[in-house]
Amino acid sequence: MNPQNNTHSELAEKFNRDVERVNWHDKTLWFVREKRDKAAHQIAEWEQLREAASQIKNNVLSNLHDYLIEFEKNAVRHGVHIHWASTAQKHNEIVHSIIKKHGANHIVKSKSMLTEECGLNEYLHQQGVNVVDTDLGERIVQLANEPPSHIVLPCIHWKKEEIGELFHQHLGTPKGNADPQFLTAAARVHLREHFLTSRVALTGVNFAVAETGEIIVCTNEGNADLGVQLADVHIACMGIEKIIPKRKHLSVFLRLLARSATGQPITTYSSHFQKPREGQEMHIVLVDNGRSERLASDDFRNALKCIRCGACFNTCPVYRRSGGHSYHTAVAGPIGSILAPGFDMAKNADLPFASTLCGSCTNVCPVKIDIHDQLYKWRQVLVQNGHTTASKKTGMNVMSQMLSHPTVYRFSGAVGRWVMRTLPLMINNKFNPWYKQREMPKASTQSFRSWYLNQRKHEQ
Amino acid sequence: MASVKKNQPSMVEFPTLNFAGDTSIDLKAQFIKTLTGIGGSVIEVNEIKEVGDYIKSTFPKPARIVNTLTDLNFEHAYPAGRFEILNQKSDPHDFSNVTVAIMQGEFGVAENGAIWLTEVNMGDQALPYICEHLVLIINKHSIVPTLHEAYEKIGASAYNLGTFLAGPSKTADIEQSLVLGAHGSKSLLVFLINY
């Protein structure tokens, strides 16, 4: 994507043209946030759980090398094949080589944000392998030829009438039927056929336990399990940061994950895969793709603690009113905005600015990532590296000159107030982004300084 | 890997977990309330024999019932070939026409309504996911307060596949409307046995 023409603010502006849809999107996500609050408040020790999760993840990052070795040793002992991929490209090649070895040209895949990050679907498509996403939301966006707009709720931006029309075109459901129950049943029949005929199933990984060599995959639909149990080959793809030290630590993370994500007490299925089923081949692909480099950064390392619950999306006023696709990256929202510049600073320089820095993301994060602090720090890094637009740079330079010269500051304040009162169009015009979808209050006749001096005089 | 080793910060220990659920509350009541809240049904019975009667009345004309419990046989209640006790291996695809699957759960978790199962309980690992309706049987004394006690119970045990199963398969991907029966079982019926 070309950042010159498709920055977050430009894409968000397009999303905001349909006021009714934006309000609906905003409200739907806030409803999920409220469910999260309700679930969290039922657990008296919620804050202690967040602290424990955060500390376990700190330990993981500080000892990642040894945990990875331990995990590999235990998984291999259970007959699992382990692969290491330093880049997204290598990951895609490894996955393809396994599929090719088994002569398959058709696979089922459950949700994996890592494979979105690596662009696996497009890569496999180019190699002649058909990937069927089996999570209902992911299947919907796949049929529409779109990426997911939310890591937990992939088609949260779609209305049921639009899904009805999409299914009418692709699955042959009756035109005009937009009943969620009916459409879900149609998708069940459509995808059941794929489950029964795919010899290779790919899944993501929520947690990988160093102590036992097992991986945990959480779904509500059961699509990961159905895919794996009916396939000859199970390929699981994970970022290296998904490791946790001990099996018992799962209690902390599984208590936090679904409650933070959707307000459920736990996902319907939390499957622990330790050994392949009889006759099955199991592969785990561990991917670095920039993670080890990020590990060195005191400022940005913590983003690797993320368990992909999506709570920061649902609470973010900017995400709720700009939609996931405005972030033009696999993982959107606040967490996506601190991850993406690490992958490509130039391409994602706009994202850390897509925030009001209100800090709500940090407050709901189950592993206590300092998301809004990192957004702020990324802004500084981006400016230092010259990744800011010319208008922002000019504005900042003028501002900095003015703020360092008190006389100039006072004079420009007076001029500014006069202009805003008498010639508002000079400021409220299409060249000033602050006035998009916004009205400004009336300008005062006096500055704060003169008001303050006046008050002091009266007091004495 | 060399890069991980070079870049990881200095070692910080993981915390000692001091979490314990409240055992003074009625665990069975909390389990039933939570599981019902996420779409499951719970029936309390005094002996396993009663399970057969309930299943007969709930599923009067199933295409195929597969039972993994050898001490529960109500074959006589159905026409020949509709009820089987699973005792031999077969291709998991062969279970695609199963209406009802019955299996034992290891234990329940009060805080989230989840039931722990491993491949030993499942008969075939595909069965709990591929069947249309799932029936799980657990002992009411097996219910633990939270996941902390659950993992204590699981300990270092070895399994191929272990799962916390909580309710029927579901999705809310279409406009946040909850629909039961996404890809896995459309319903979950749990029998709590009062041994």
Side-chain angles (χ1 to χ4, degrees), chain A residues 283-310:
Chain A
H283 297 263
I284 300 175
V285 188
L286 292 115
V287 183
D288 182 336
N289 202 32
R291 286 164 175 76
S292 61
E293 205 180 306
R294 182 178 293 247
L295 204 51
S297 160
D298 288 339
D299 283 344
F300 302 122
R301 174 189 308 126
N302 275 349
L304 293 171
K305 290 157 74 175
C306 178
I307 58 172
R308 303 288 191 269
C309 71

Side-chain angles (χ1 to χ4, degrees), chain B residues 89-125:
Chain B
K89 286 194 175 70
S90 76
D91 183 317
H93 295 81
D94 294 343
F95 297 109
S96 65
N97 62 352
V98 171
T99 323
V100 182
I102 306 165
M103 52 195 72
Q104 177 89 42
E106 288 294 318
F107 62 87
V109 185
E111 69 157 331
N112 54 26
I115 293 169
W116 176 253
L117 297 166
T118 71
E119 77 278 3
V120 178
N121 308 109
M122 295 175 186
D124 186 286
Q125 285 178 207

Side-chain angles (χ1 to χ4, degrees), chain A residues 30-48:
Chain A
W30 186 251
F31 170 66
V32 183
R33 155 76 210 260
E34 285 176 325
K35 286 200 290 185
R36 172 258 173 218
D37 288 350
K38 213 175 140 201
H41 295 159
Q42 277 169 15
I43 308 289
E45 63 276 27
W46 183 258
E47 287 306 316
Q48 290 92 303

Side-chain angles (χ1 to χ4, degrees), chain A residues 136-152:
Chain A
L136 177 59
E138 284 211 325
R139 185 62 181 153
I140 289 167
V141 289
Q142 188 181 36
L143 288 174
N145 213 6
E146 277 184 2
S149 71
H150 187 294
I151 54 174
V152 174

